[in-house]
Amino acid sequence: MATDKVVETVIVGNYVEMETEGKAKDVKTRLSNFFWHGGSVYDAWFSCASNQVAQVLLTLPYSFSQLGMLSGILFQLFYGLLGSWTAYLISILYVEYRTRKEREKVDFRNHVIQWFEVLDGLLGKHWRNVGLAFNCTFLLFGSVIQLIACASNIYYINDNLDKRTWTYIFGACCATTVFIPSFHNYRIWSFLGLLMTTYTAWYLTIASLLHGQIEGVKHSGPTKLVLYFTGATNILYTFGGHAVTVEIMHAMWKPQKFKSIYLVATLYVLTLTLPSASAVYWAFGDMLLNHSNAFALLPKTPFRDMAVTLMLIHQFITFGFACTPLYFVWEKAIGMHECKSLCKRAAARLPVVIPIWFLAIIFPFFGPINSTVGSLLVSFTVYIIPALAHAFTFRSPASRENAVEQPSKYFGGWAGAYTINAFIVGWVLVVGFGFGGWASMTNFIHQIDTFGLFTKCYQCLPPPSAAAPPLLNSTVGAPPPHHHPLPHHHRL
């Protein structure tokens, strides 16, 4: 009897310990899922909204100075709607492709579907090659822009190092994104990123209103076509986060629910971009023509330093957003995409970071590069290719009849969808790529002529005794730069 009692006690004791251990593991799993494994509608919304408003938030006042207040507001509303429509088209094409493949018993459990694969499966290899070229180039320069923005922002907190040195440092920091496996793992980062940009946007708004208008402020924009279309293409770029849309959808548990997420995210983003850009432009006017980063004009305070710090963290997150699809493409090219070892995949991804790092050092032009990328790459990646791909995928009556997702009757059905697609292709091809490409390349080449490649400290203010060349000459139509007395180490 005594022996039985001892055995029972041991058994009960072991059971209690196992139960406790199971509960601990269960809690650990729940915590891991809460912070790490995201795939809900809310995760997708946070990812879309966070990915839209990174460093562009700081360059929109610069765009307003080129466009003028009215055009700046109208272009944001217009391109926000166009971007939401093409994101909706991409979601339809993704669901169509995945449904067809899953009917063929294709397993995607260890494979991340990407935009160029959707084009390949629906329209063939030529579409795949075009989509891959535009998407990868856009993501490459999108990552470059994040590094440039990091260096530009940290300089306003610590100017003991020039911007090029800060680019070296942040290039090494951003390389750590190779350890983030996929968009499933951006749950907490997306949430924090949106909080950071929300704070920054309202800081820009409130700080500008409290600062008030500078003495003799002028709001002369628009003055030149070059400036006007440069600013318009920067806004085109603002609502062009579609290069990662398919990857965000694939990370969802129910990707068919994505259709309206991008629109809701855009509406929230507009509550950040419209007040901040309008307030900064109202306060500083034409001075923004020579200060593409809004932080440059606001006085140094703890609130500004907090905004700079939060934007730096967010730009690290956005770098990961832009680079992760490139990591996937590279992994597939070298046969490492389905490898289960995180360390091996991280090591294989490192070569992707090196050209990004190098390009950020060659072209450190914070504002103009946004417009150039917008006109030459975003126009096709975000607007033209999705609209054409949708039209060609469903060009036959049979394909329209058997489509997994039918266009909403609110858009006029198939006729309405084709009409909207044709308008987007025509508008973006002429205004975005044509006029925008001419204007942004003119401005970009002027930056190279003025500062040269490998600029050590782009738009750093020189001491008053130094004769600094104007950032935009008379052909572009900007006034001479505004100088402040700064230490000797601020030389360009």
Side-chain angles (χ1 to χ4, degrees):
M1 291 288 291
T3 305
D4 290 341
K5 206 168 191 177
V6 171
V7 172
E8 185 182 359
T9 305
V10 171
I11 292 172
V12 171
N14 284 342
Y15 174 77
V16 169
E17 286 174 10
M18 288 174 65
E19 186 184 45
T20 305
E21 184 182 358
K23 284 182 179 178
K25 284 183 178 178
D26 191 44
V27 170
K28 186 177 179 182
T29 302
R30 285 203 300 268
L31 284 172
S32 175
N33 288 340
F34 181 77
F35 288 109
W36 188 249
H37 297 290
S40 68
V41 170
Y42 299 103
D43 291 308
W45 183 84
F46 281 121
S47 293
C48 288
S50 179
N51 190 47
Q52 277 191 49
V53 283
Q55 93 298 331
V56 173
L57 190 66
L58 307 176
T59 62
L60 283 174
Y62 168 67
S63 298
F64 270 48
S65 70
Q66 297 168 320
L67 288 164
M69 185 76 79
L70 179 61
S71 290
I73 293 171
L74 291 177
F75 268 116
Q76 280 201 43
L77 296 172
F78 178 66
Y79 283 128
L81 287 174
L82 259 58
S84 299
W85 172 259
T86 52
Y88 166 71
L89 297 182
I90 290 172
S91 72
I92 288 176
L93 294 172
Y94 169 86
V95 171
E96 183 74 25
Y97 167 78
R98 185 163 181 172
T99 303
R100 291 184 188 181
K101 288 297 179 183
E102 287 179 345
R103 285 171 182 166
E104 299 170 6
K105 308 300 182 185
V106 177
D107 187 358
F108 291 113
R109 278 179 294 183
N110 294 317
H111 183 92
V112 177
I113 298 173
Q114 294 187 267
W115 176 231
F116 70 91
E117 293 169 319
V118 173
L119 292 173
D120 187 21
L122 296 177
L123 294 167
K125 65 178 182 179
H126 296 302
W127 282 82
R128 176 201 66 195
N129 294 339
V130 171
L132 184 62
F134 274 105
N135 229 38
C136 288
T137 310
F138 171 36
L139 290 168
L140 179 74
F141 279 97
S143 304
V144 168
I145 288 168
Q146 299 311 316
L147 280 189
I148 296 170
C150 284
S152 178
N153 289 344
I154 191 64
Y155 186 78
Y156 297 115
I157 292 180
N158 186 337
D159 57 12
N160 292 322
L161 299 176
D162 58 75
K163 292 182 183 179
R164 187 168 67 192
T165 304
W166 281 119
T167 304
Y168 293 138
I169 294 169
F170 277 100
C173 294
C174 289
T176 59
T177 57
V178 297
F179 290 100
I180 302 177
S182 73
F183 282 97
H184 275 297
N185 313 115
Y186 273 97
R187 163 172 277 187
I188 191 66
W189 294 114
S190 299
F191 174 72
L192 292 175
L194 195 57
L195 288 181
M196 293 168 187
T197 48
T198 300
Y199 171 88
T200 303
W202 286 109
Y203 158 74
L204 292 173
T205 304
I206 296 169
S208 298
L209 294 175
L210 292 177
H211 181 279
Q213 292 185 316
I214 59 169
E215 185 179 352
V217 65
K218 291 182 180 179
H219 300 90
S220 55
T223 55
K224 299 284 183 179
L225 284 177
V226 172
L227 288 176
Y228 190 82
F229 287 108
T230 300
T233 50
N234 186 39
I235 295 179
L236 181 88
Y237 172 83
T238 302
F239 298 97
H242 302 49
V244 297
T245 298
V246 171
E247 288 81 1
I248 291 172
M249 285 186 67
H250 189 79
M252 293 178 68
W253 299 316
K254 295 181 179 179
Q256 64 271 21
K257 291 187 174 182
F258 183 85
K259 292 190 290 293
S260 61
I261 287 175
Y262 199 91
L263 174 62
V264 179
T266 298
L267 293 176
Y268 179 78
V269 166
L270 287 170
T271 68
L272 305 181
T273 58
L274 287 173
S276 60
S278 302
V280 177
Y281 179 54
W282 170 82
F284 297 101
D286 290 351
M287 279 184 66
L288 285 158
L289 289 167
N290 296 302
H291 297 86
S292 53
N293 189 329
F295 282 143
L297 295 175
L298 290 164
K300 183 177 174 61
T301 64
F303 294 106
R304 193 194 75 166
D305 289 351
M306 175 64 76
V308 172
T309 304
L310 293 178
M311 283 303 291
L312 285 171
I313 300 170
H314 184 256
Q315 279 151 358
F316 166 82
I317 297 167
T318 310
F319 182 92
F321 266 110
C323 252
T324 299
L326 291 176
Y327 295 152
F328 293 155
V329 172
W330 178 248
E331 286 171 356
K332 291 170 185 176
I334 63 175
M336 290 288 289
H337 186 57
E338 296 186 6
C339 175
K340 294 184 179 179
S341 170
L342 180 60
C343 291
K344 287 181 180 178
R345 287 179 69 188
R349 291 171 168 190
L350 278 174
V352 176
V353 180
I354 295 170
I356 294 170
W357 207 350
F358 188 62
L359 287 168
I361 295 164
I362 298 177
F363 304 113
F365 311 126
F366 183 67
I369 196 172
N370 283 8
S371 300
T372 306
V373 170
S375 61
L376 302 183
L377 299 173
V378 174
S379 343
F380 285 92
T381 303
V382 173
Y383 300 96
I384 295 173
I385 293 176
L388 288 176
H390 184 267
F392 277 88
T393 298
F394 301 107
R395 64 185 179 276
S396 68
S399 62
R400 291 195 293 273
E401 185 178 343
N402 297 320
V404 177
E405 295 275 353
Q406 297 285 333
S408 171
K409 61 181 181 181
Y410 298 110
F411 302 128
W414 288 106
Y418 269 82
T419 303
I420 297 170
N421 290 345
F423 171 77
I424 289 174
V425 172
W427 176 276
V428 176
L429 195 61
V430 174
V431 178
F433 178 72
F435 288 108
W438 160 73
S440 58
M441 284 304 297
T442 301
N443 191 14
F444 190 76
I445 291 169
H446 179 71
Q447 305 302 310
I448 297 175
D449 291 341
T450 303
F451 295 100
L453 302 177
F454 298 97
T455 302
K456 190 174 184 180
C457 209
Y458 174 70
Q459 284 193 343
C460 301
L461 297 171
S465 58
L471 302 185
L472 296 171
N473 63 17
S474 57
T475 60
V476 183
H482 183 80
H483 299 304
H484 297 281
L486 292 174
H488 184 270
H489 60 262
H490 285 236
R491 288 185 184 275
L492 295 174

